[in-house]
Amino acid sequence: MRQVPEVRAAAVPAKHEKYPWPEKPVLLSTDVKRLDGPVKASGRAKYAYDIKRPGMLFAKVLRSPHPHARVVSLDVAAAEKAPGVKAVLPWRKTGEKVVYQGDEVAAVAAATEEQALDAIRMIKVEYEPLPHLANVEQSLRPEAPSVFEGGNVKVGAAEESGDLAAGFKAAAHVVENTYNTQVVTHACLETHGCVCEWNGDQLTAWVSTQAVHGTREGFAKALNIPITNVRVITEYMGGGFGSKFGPDVQGIICAQLAQKAGAPVHLLLDRKEEHLATGNRPSAYAKIKAGVGADGMLTAFDAETWGTGGAGAGSGYPLPYIYQFPNRRRVHKDVYINAGQQRAMRAPGHPQGCFITEVLMDELADRVRMDPIEFRLKNLPEQAPNAMWKAYFPIAAEMIDWKRRHPTGDPAPGPIKRGLGVAANRWGGAGRGTKAHAEINPDGTVIIRCGTQDIGVGTKTIVAMITAETLGIPMDLVTPQIGDSNYPFSGGSGGSTTAASVSPAIRVTTGKARDALFARIAPQLGATPDALTVADGKVSARGGKTVSWKDACKMLGTEPIAVDGEWEAGLSASGTSGVQAAEVEVDVETGVTRVKRIVCVQDMGLVVDMKTATTQIYGGIISCVNYALFEDRILDRNTAQMVNPDMEWYRIAGMSDIPRIDVRIMNQPERGVVGIGEPPAVSTAAAITNAVRNATGVTIRSLPLTPDKVLAALERAGGTN
Amino acid sequence: LKAFAYVNAANEREALAGLDAQRGRVMPIAGGMDLLGLMKNYIAQPERLVNVKNLDATIQASATAGVRIGAATKLIELIEHQGIAKNYPALVTAAEEVGTPQIRNAGTVGGNIMQRPRCWYFRNEEFHCLKKGGARCFAVEGENQYHAIFGGGPCHIVHPSSLAVPLIAYGAKFRVVGPSGERDIDAGEFFQLPADNLMGETVLKPNELLTHVILPASTSMKGATYEVRFKQSHDWPLAMASVVMTMDGNRVKSARVVMGAVAPIPWRTEAAEKVLAGKTITEAVAVEAATAAVAGAEPMTQNSYKVQVARTAVKRAIMRAAGLQTV
C-alpha cells in the first residue's frame, strides 16, 4: 500500500517567471459552485459502485472470522457447484495464516450478488485457531504469547533535544498524566472496490480510488502484466481519506475472478468488510510529564508513547504538537494486535498529537492561572507565512466571543454546563509532479485533461476555473477531464497534495496553450505574439485589433492548439496554519456532550475556489466532531472480533449532531496554492475536549468523549447531583 | 440472505394459516425495518415470510373507552394522530424518537414491539451467544457498555422497543390471535426475561400474531417519556423512562414508572411508583423516586454509568409529566 506522506516545500516560493498567478484574478478566490454538484446530488454521477457492464458478475469475499489462525484446509467444491457461480478463487493456501478478523480467504463470482453471498458460505474452511491479542494491554503483558514475527512490540529510538533535567528544574509546576485516543476507521460513504473487465490481455478497471495512476501500477505489478495493458477509471469517488491508494487485495481478486470467469466482475465491499479490512487510524497513548515555569513558559516534556496500527503496522504520530518545549524527550513503541492494519487517514498522526498536546496545554495553563489563549501565544513558534497561529488565535477568540469564557468549571446552576476551548493545527500540503494536456479548438471550446481524481477537492471545478482564468474565457467553454489513467500523470490524492500539484500544472499548461494560440494567430491580427493579451472573452493586440475569443479561435482553421505542460515551482507552497474554537454543552446528569459551535481560522496559501475550500473545511470539522464524540472501533476484548462493524453502534454524526460551523479563510495569494484537505480535520476534537473541560471542570484525557467517561470523571471529582 | 417463500396475507385468517409453530421457520413481516437486517446478517433465516401489512392499520379512538391501534399502523400515523398526541403524550414522545424519518414512515407499531434485541453479540454472526443456542453470553466478560443493569441474566440484552415502555406505563393490553382463538394480554405480562424465555423476548408463540394495542382511557392521567441518547440523530437510548400518573387534583393517586434500555424487558419499578403515590410532584420527590427506581441495579463491568443515566431519565420523565421544567 503506497501512501502519500506529508509533503513539505518552501513556505513562500520565488514567483513563477512566465505564468505567475494573476494579481487581479477574475475567478480565483471567488465562490464557484462545484461543477459536478448537480449530477452527484441527483444521483446521475456514476461511481464505481454504479458501473454496469454487459454480462457483469458480482463477487464476494470470504473472510476469516478468526483474529489469528492457520488455514488447515480449504474446500471450494460445493461453492463451485452452487447456483449462478461462474468462478471461485481460493486466496489463502493451506498452511497460511490469517492475522485478523476480515483477512481474505477466498472469493466467488456469481450471476447475482445474493448467489455470490450464498456461495461463499458453502466454502468449507478448517482453521487451527492460534493465540491472539485483542488490545494493546494484552500485547504489552510480559506473559503475552509471541504472535508477530520479530515481537509484538517494536520500540523506536528516543527523540531528544535540550536538557531535560534542567527543564524540570526550571519548572514551577509539573503535570503528569496519561492520554489516549481510539482507533477509528475511514468509514468512506462509498465502500472500497471496483469493476474489472478484460478485453484480451487489456484490463479496464473502474475503481473507487484516490490514485488512478498508482492503482494502474498496482494492478500491473500484482498481475504481472505491462502497465500499458491497464486502464483505471475513477470519474467520481465517494471518499477515501487515505485508505484508497491502490487496487487492494479485493481489486486483485476482482481482476483474477474476471479473468477466470471470462466476464466483467463487480466487487464492492459491504460496510462490515469496510470496517474490518480497509484501514483505520491507529490508537495513541502517551504517558507524559511536562513542566511549566512560573512565567508561563514551557520548560520540559518527557513522553513515553505507544499505540496500535493493528497486525504488524505502525502507529507513529507527532508529539509534542506545534508548541515549543525547549527540553524534551520522547520514546515511541508500535504495539501490534490481531486487527486490521492502519492506513493513512486524513492528516496521519496529527489528530492524535494535537489532542494529547492541546489537552495538556490547558492543564498547564490552569497551573499557572493563565488564559489558555494567552498561554498558547507565549509558547508558539515565531510567526511565519506557514506558522500564523499568533495572528489566528485572536481572530478565533473574536469569532467565538472568547471574552465570555469563565474559568475552568461552569458556575451556572443546573445540569447543563457550557464551555469554550481552542486548539491549533498545521500541515504541509505542498504539491509536485502533475502533468496535463490542453486543447483549444477552432470553435473556442477548451479541453483540459489531467490524470488526477476528485477525492473531494472539487478538482474538476478548480481545473476549469484556472483554465478559464488563464485564457480569459467563461468557464462553460472549458471541459475538464480527470479520473482516467490514460490522461497525463498526476500523483495520488493524499497528503493534501492535489490542489497544490494540479493547480500549477493547469496554470502552466493553459499558459502554454495561450502562448501557442498567440503564436498562431498573431500574423492574422497584424501583431507580434508578445503584443497579444486575453481577457473578458476577447483577444487584444496592444495598440491594435480586438477580436472575440471565438473569432480568434476560428483563425486556427481546422487544426486545434494542443500542448502539454506540467507542475513547475513558483505557483505552490507548503505549510498551513489553523486555529479552531469549540463551544459545547455538557449535561452533567447524563454525561452527554453536544457541540454547539465550531469556529475555524484557516489558511491554505492562494485560495483557488473559496466555496469548495470552505466545504472541504466543513467536511474536515465534521469528521473531527465524530472523532471527538462518536467514532470508535470496538473489538471484543476476549475474541478480538469487532462488535460494531456497522453504522449503528459505530456512531457517526447525523444532521442533528452537527454544530454551527463558521469558517474564516485567510487568503495568502503571494504564497501560491497549498492543500487544505487535511488540516481542518486535525484540531476539532482537541478544541471540543478543552471546551468540555472548561464546562465541567473535569479533564477527559481519552477519546471519544462518551457519557461513561464524562460521568466517571465527574464522579471522581465529587459526584454529579 | 437465504431465499424464502412469500405469502401475501389479505386478513388475519390468511396470516395465521401462513404461520408455523416452529420458531424461526416462518416469520411475519410488516415494515421489515428489523427483519430484513436480521436476514441479511444471517441471524434470521426464515423459509417463508407472511406479509401482515394488510391487516388492521387503523386507530380507533374514543374519549371514554380508550384507543385501539392496529398493529400494522405506521409509527408516523401514530405520531400524527391528534387524539393520541393529546391524551397519550408519553407514547408519542417515544414514537417520535424511534430511528429515522424513513424508519418511522415504514415501521409499524407491531414491528416496534416485536423487534429483536440490538445486542451486538446477538447481531453479529461470529458470536454464537445464548440467544442463538450458544453456551455463553459474551457481554458478561466483554463489551457491555450498552447492556442491561437489571434482569439478572443469563442473557444481558436490553429490550429494544421504545413503544413498549409507555404502553406498559399506560396499562395497555395487546390483542393476540392464534390457532386457538384470540386473547388480550396485559402489556406488562407480554415480555419475558431470558430466564423464562431465552430464544424469544415475549409470550407470543411462533404461530400467533400481535394484532392490536388497546389503551385504556387516559382520564386524569398525566404522562411523559424522557429518553437519554448520545447522538441526537438515529441512535438508541442509553436509557429512557415513561411515567404515567393518575392524578387526584395536585396529588398523585397512583403512578406507573417504567424504564427502557436497562433490562431484557421494559423494566417497571414499583419502588419508584410507591414514592410518588400520594405526593405532589416537586424536583425533590422526582429525585427520590428516581433514586428508588435504580436502587436494585446490578451493573456489569462497563455500564455502571447507565445507573446514573437511568436515574436522570426517570427524574426528568416525572418532572415533565407533572409539567415541571427540565432540560
Side-chain angles (χ1 to χ4, degrees):
Chain A
M1 174 66 44
R2 221 182 47 159
Q3 297 185 342
V4 178
E6 187 175 4
V7 177
R8 297 201 148 267
V12 184
K15 212 172 188 180
H16 194 277
E17 276 185 26
K18 266 188 113 171
Y19 308 112
W21 294 113
E23 283 182 11
K24 289 182 181 162
V26 177
L27 285 165
L28 296 184
S29 308
T30 65
D31 278 324
V32 174
K33 283 184 187 161
R34 217 171 268 262
L35 292 182
D36 42 18
V39 290
K40 286 182 174 177
S42 62
R44 282 174 288 157
K46 297 288 179 228
Y47 293 77
Y49 218 105
D50 304 315
I51 298 298
K52 289 189 176 68
R53 303 295 300 166
M56 187 175 80
L57 307 173
F58 293 85
K60 289 286 168 193
V61 179
L62 177 69
R63 294 173 183 276
S64 169
H66 300 286
H68 190 204
R70 192 182 311 280
V71 176
V72 175
S73 67
L74 182 63
D75 177 2
V76 299
E80 278 172 336
K81 285 183 221 125
V85 170
K86 305 292 181 197
V88 179
L89 186 72
W91 188 252
R92 292 273 172 228
K93 293 185 183 71
T94 301
E96 282 184 343
K97 288 207 288 188
V98 288
V99 291
Y100 56 91
Q101 179 202 14
D103 219 344
E104 297 81 3
V105 175
V108 166
T112 70
E113 201 173 347
E114 291 76 14
Q115 287 172 330
L117 265 175
D118 282 344
I120 57 169
R121 299 171 70 85
M122 297 182 192
I123 297 172
K124 292 189 192 75
V125 190
E126 190 188 334
Y127 296 98
E128 177 201 346
L130 299 169
H132 64 256
L133 300 164
N135 52 45
V136 292
E137 292 76 19
Q138 291 176 11
S139 293
L140 288 168
R141 282 175 312 165
E143 69 275 21
S146 178
V147 167
F148 297 95
E149 270 173 42
N152 302 335
V153 179
K154 185 182 154 206
V155 182
E159 302 164 16
E160 275 192 82
S161 71
D163 181 342
L164 204 57
F168 281 115
K169 210 170 164 193
H173 305 273
V174 172
V175 166
E176 277 190 84
N177 279 309
T178 301
Y179 305 79
N180 88 281
T181 63
Q182 77 279 35
V183 173
V184 296
T185 68
H186 297 73
C188 308
L189 189 54
E190 181 188 35
T191 57
H192 288 60
C194 57
V195 172
C196 286
E197 179 174 298
W198 291 89
N199 184 1
D201 59 0
Q202 304 285 313
L203 171 67
T204 302
W206 291 263
V207 188
S208 183
T209 180
Q210 52 195 92
V212 288
H213 281 274
T215 301
R216 179 178 70 159
E217 285 170 37
F219 273 117
K221 203 170 170 193
L223 299 168
N224 199 22
I225 57 176
I227 288 176
T228 42
N229 287 19
V230 184
R231 181 179 178 195
V232 170
I233 301 171
T234 307
E235 195 175 4
Y236 303 101
M237 62 138 7
F241 312 106
S243 67
K244 289 182 177 170
F245 282 110
D248 264 355
V249 175
Q250 76 276 352
I252 304 306
I253 288 174
C254 184
Q256 292 189 358
L257 281 171
Q259 205 162 31
K260 215 168 167 180
V265 170
H266 178 283
L267 203 180
L268 273 295
L269 304 188
D270 67 20
R271 186 55 59 189
K272 183 168 185 170
E273 297 176 288
E274 193 74 5
H275 280 305
L276 294 177
T278 64
N280 53 67
R281 174 184 291 160
S283 63
Y285 296 77
K287 187 168 179 290
I288 297 177
K289 182 178 169 191
V292 60
D295 58 355
M297 297 304 291
L298 299 170
T299 63
F301 181 92
D302 189 10
E304 185 192 333
T305 67
W306 64 101
T308 187
S315 59
Y317 60 95
L319 194 79
Y321 195 63
I322 296 181
Y323 304 100
Q324 295 194 308
F325 289 85
N327 308 294
R328 59 195 158 93
R329 177 174 64 185
R330 188 231 182 150
V331 182
H332 180 79
K333 49 192 172 198
D334 293 324
V335 182
Y336 305 136
I337 67 169
N338 291 104
Q341 291 193 344
Q342 70 93 18
R343 291 183 186 177
M345 181 169 175
R346 215 164 183 172
H350 286 231
Q352 300 97 302
C354 176
F355 168 80
I356 292 165
T357 307
E358 291 283 13
V359 176
L360 170 69
M361 287 297 284
D362 266 26
E363 294 182 87
L364 291 167
D366 269 5
R367 291 296 178 95
V368 291
R369 300 183 181 280
M370 282 181 75
D371 175 87
I373 290 182
E374 189 192 342
F375 180 65
R376 282 168 170 79
L377 291 176
K378 274 177 113 64
N379 291 290
L380 278 164
E382 278 311 302
Q383 189 157 306
N386 60 349
M388 294 297 295
W389 305 284
K390 283 187 178 175
Y392 295 169
F393 268 110
I395 298 170
E398 179 72 29
M399 286 171 75
I400 205 153
D401 194 13
W402 185 259
K403 61 183 182 296
R404 72 197 151 111
R405 179 185 178 274
H406 48 71
T408 303
D410 185 355
I416 303 298
K417 307 297 184 193
R418 294 174 179 83
L420 300 176
V422 286
N425 63 61
R426 66 167 174 81
W427 188 253
R432 61 190 171 195
T434 292
K435 301 176 196 310
H437 173 82
E439 293 177 10
I440 300 173
N441 293 309
D443 66 354
T445 58
V446 177
I447 284 182
I448 177 104
R449 287 193 189 110
C450 178
T452 181
Q453 52 281 314
D454 189 359
I455 193 181
V457 174
T459 316
K460 271 188 194 166
T461 311
I462 66 171
V463 165
M465 281 175 78
I466 293 166
T467 304
E469 180 82 49
T470 308
L471 300 178
I473 56 175
M475 279 176 68
D476 59 12
L477 287 177
V478 181
T479 300
Q481 296 184 331
I482 64 166
D484 190 327
S485 64
N486 280 359
Y487 298 156
F489 174 83
S490 188
S493 289
S496 299
T497 56
T498 306
S501 300
V502 171
S503 304
I506 303 304
R507 177 70 175 170
V508 169
T509 306
T510 55
K512 286 170 78 173
R514 183 186 62 196
D515 290 352
L517 175 73
F518 288 168
R520 286 268 299 280
I521 67 173
Q524 297 176 64
L525 289 169
T528 55
D530 60 2
L532 299 187
T533 55
V534 284
D536 278 339
K538 295 185 194 75
V539 179
S540 309
R542 202 176 315 122
K545 274 204 251 181
T546 292
V547 295
S548 75
W549 170 261
K550 290 212 166 180
D551 286 343
C553 291
K554 268 185 205 152
M555 295 174 185
L556 293 171
T558 55
E559 188 191 336
I561 300 289
V563 303
D564 295 310
E566 64 185 314
W567 182 91
E568 291 178 12
L571 297 162
S572 58
S574 171
T576 62
S577 323
V579 168
Q580 294 182 5
E583 180 176 355
V584 304
E585 285 181 3
V586 183
D587 186 333
V588 295
E589 291 179 352
T590 64
V592 172
T593 297
R594 289 195 201 176
V595 183
K596 306 304 285 184
R597 193 175 172 204
I598 300 290
V599 305
C600 166
V601 183
Q602 183 69 53
D603 64 41
M604 61 198 83
L606 166 69
V607 180
V608 182
D609 182 351
M610 199 57 87
K611 182 155 221 131
T612 54
T614 306
T615 55
Q616 279 277 81
I617 292 172
Y618 289 156
I621 288 172
I622 292 166
S623 81
C624 207
V625 168
N626 283 320
Y627 189 49
L629 297 183
F630 298 131
E631 291 187 61
D632 193 3
R633 182 197 69 183
I634 305 173
L635 301 182
D636 177 76
R637 66 196 63 198
N638 299 305
T639 67
Q641 290 160 325
M642 187 174 174
V643 294
N644 59 342
D646 48 42
M647 285 297 204
E648 177 178 352
W649 298 109
Y650 189 93
R651 290 188 172 88
I652 289 190
M655 286 296 189
S656 334
D657 303 299
I658 295 170
R660 172 179 159 188
I661 301 171
D662 296 297
V663 174
R664 178 89 50 93
I665 291 178
M666 311 304 288
N667 201 1
Q668 302 169 312
E670 68 287 354
R671 296 183 63 203
V673 178
V674 188
I676 192 55
E678 253 113 337
V682 170
S683 51
T684 320
I688 289 169
T689 308
N690 283 336
V692 168
R693 182 173 186 274
N694 179 238
T696 60
V698 298
T699 312
I700 318 291
R701 300 184 186 89
S702 169
L703 290 182
L705 304 172
T706 47
D708 59 324
K709 290 179 192 167
V710 175
L711 288 175
L714 286 164
E715 184 76 30
R716 281 195 299 273
T720 57
N721 59 358
Chain B
L1 185 76
K2 194 177 121 179
F4 56 88
Y6 186 75
V7 175
N8 195 10
N11 50 44
E12 271 180 31
R13 189 178 47 77
E14 285 183 22
L16 284 177
L19 294 179
D20 187 274
Q22 191 189 323
R23 185 178 294 279
R25 205 174 81 80
V26 180
M27 296 177 114
I29 182 165
M33 298 296 95
D34 179 32
L35 185 54
L36 291 179
L38 287 167
M39 290 168 68
K40 284 183 177 176
N41 291 336
Y42 293 87
I43 304 304
Q45 300 190 52
E47 291 169 21
R48 186 163 74 223
L49 294 184
V50 177
N51 175 27
V52 294
K53 270 199 289 289
N54 301 321
L55 273 58
D56 189 10
T58 63
I59 299 175
Q60 316 275 348
S62 110
T64 50
V67 178
R68 188 178 164 92
I69 303 164
T73 302
K74 297 200 168 82
L75 294 181
I76 188 69
E77 293 160 354
L78 187 71
I79 292 162
E80 289 177 351
H81 191 279
Q82 293 193 348
I84 305 259
K86 183 163 168 278
N87 297 319
Y88 304 94
L91 178 60
V92 171
T93 302
E96 281 168 347
E97 302 226 7
V98 170
T100 61
Q102 291 96 323
I103 290 172
R104 296 190 292 273
N105 287 339
T108 63
V109 170
N112 184 275
I113 294 167
M114 291 307 301
Q115 65 185 307
R116 304 301 310 279
R118 306 306 308 186
C119 168
W120 46 35
Y121 294 109
F122 175 66
R123 293 272 162 175
N124 282 295
E125 206 185 355
E126 289 82 357
F127 302 101
H128 191 51
C129 75
L130 285 178
K131 224 173 213 334
K132 291 180 282 194
R136 66 176 171 126
C137 171
F138 289 81
V140 173
E141 290 176 349
E143 313 311 310
N144 52 39
Q145 52 266 56
Y146 304 118
H147 285 79
I149 54 172
F150 289 100
C155 156
H156 297 269
I157 60 154
V158 296
H159 198 275
S161 172
S162 291
L163 296 193
V165 178
L167 287 174
I168 293 173
Y170 280 115
K173 289 183 189 304
F174 295 159
R175 176 179 177 266
V176 166
V177 297
S180 50
E182 64 176 83
R183 59 197 163 119
D184 288 352
I185 305 172
D186 271 339
E189 307 287 316
F190 186 73
F191 300 97
Q192 288 185 300
L193 282 168
D196 301 319
N197 180 0
L198 197 51
M199 305 310 283
E201 291 80 42
T202 72
V203 299
L204 197 73
K205 296 191 179 72
N207 57 357
E208 292 180 324
L209 268 181
L210 165 65
T211 67
H212 292 85
V213 168
I214 302 151
L215 283 160
S218 63
T219 327
S220 1
M221 284 184 186
K222 282 184 171 181
T225 290
Y226 192 94
E227 181 172 311
V228 180
R229 52 206 282 175
F230 189 15
K231 267 172 62 180
Q232 300 313 303
S233 55
H234 197 197
D235 203 358
W236 298 91
L238 296 169
M240 64 179 286
S242 292
V243 172
V244 174
M245 306 184 293
T246 304
M247 305 302 293
D248 181 5
N250 269 341
R251 298 169 87 83
V252 177
K253 200 156 114 193
S254 65
R256 284 210 190 191
V257 180
V258 186
M259 291 181 282
V262 299
I265 59 172
W267 196 254
R268 190 173 163 190
T269 159
E270 286 172 14
E273 295 170 2
K274 278 192 191 125
V275 171
L276 298 181
K279 301 251 175 63
T280 299
I281 302 299
T282 62
E283 181 165 1
V285 169
V287 169
E288 190 190 342
T291 304
V294 296
E298 294 172 320
M300 304 174 75
T301 53
Q302 320 287 318
N303 69 1
S304 58
Y305 76 101
K306 285 187 66 169
V307 177
Q308 167 61 21
V309 174
R311 184 159 68 137
T312 302
V314 173
K315 178 183 103 174
R316 292 181 186 175
I318 293 169
M319 290 173 68
R320 287 201 173 179
L324 300 176
Q325 192 131 28
T326 66
V327 294

